[in-house]
């Protein structure tokens, strides 16, 4: 049986990729493979003014914006980019 938390995260990442690829008309946007301690966000191919954007997707029961922001900052440093965003969804009923 698959890990339910991992499945929720994968689903959010997949839908975020589909939306951004459509909205930005860029088929290079995709899910990023895991890098262990040197994680560089969840998506690859998102650009802003020629710089890569670190995108972090979170599907949680309760929002924890401070923790997610700290994680995003670490992953932005790992990616060596000044730009990042967090895509979060909190499901109180989950």
């Amino acid at each position: 049986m698959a890990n339910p938390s991992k499945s929720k995260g994968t689903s959010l990442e997949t839908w975020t990729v589909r939306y951004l690829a459509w909205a930005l008309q860029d088929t290079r946007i995709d899910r990023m493979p895991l890098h262990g301690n040197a994680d560089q966000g969840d998506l690859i191919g998102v650009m802003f003014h020629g710089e890569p954007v670190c995108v972090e997707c979170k599907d949680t029961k309760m929002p924890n914006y401070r923790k997610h922001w700290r994680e995003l900052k670490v992953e932005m440093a790992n990616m060596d980019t000044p730009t990042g965003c967090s895509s979060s969804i909190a499901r109180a009923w989950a």
Side-chain angles (χ1 to χ4, degrees):
M1 176 184 272
N3 179 339
S5 295
K6 190 168 183 83
S7 295
K8 286 191 325 183
T10 297
S11 178
L12 179 60
E13 290 171 15
T14 300
W15 282 105
T16 303
V17 164
R18 288 177 183 167
Y19 172 75
L20 289 174
W22 169 81
L24 301 175
Q25 293 296 294
D26 193 340
T27 58
R28 296 172 294 180
I29 298 170
D30 204 356
R31 293 182 59 227
M32 172 102 68
L34 296 175
H35 286 91
N37 291 0
D39 197 9
Q40 299 179 358
D42 295 323
L43 306 184
I44 191 168
V46 181
M47 304 294 281
F48 181 72
H49 291 290
E51 293 280 339
V53 177
C54 182
V55 180
E56 185 66 25
C57 300
K58 295 292 182 189
D59 187 344
T60 62
K61 287 185 180 181
M62 297 295 294
N64 192 339
Y65 302 117
R66 186 171 297 181
K67 178 183 173 191
H68 297 163
W69 177 251
R70 282 193 303 263
E71 184 178 339
L72 177 64
K73 295 294 279 185
V74 167
E75 294 183 9
M76 286 168 57
N78 291 343
M79 196 174 190
D80 193 28
T81 187
T83 311
C85 69
S86 180
S87 168
S88 301
I89 184 169
R91 302 176 193 225
W93 64 86

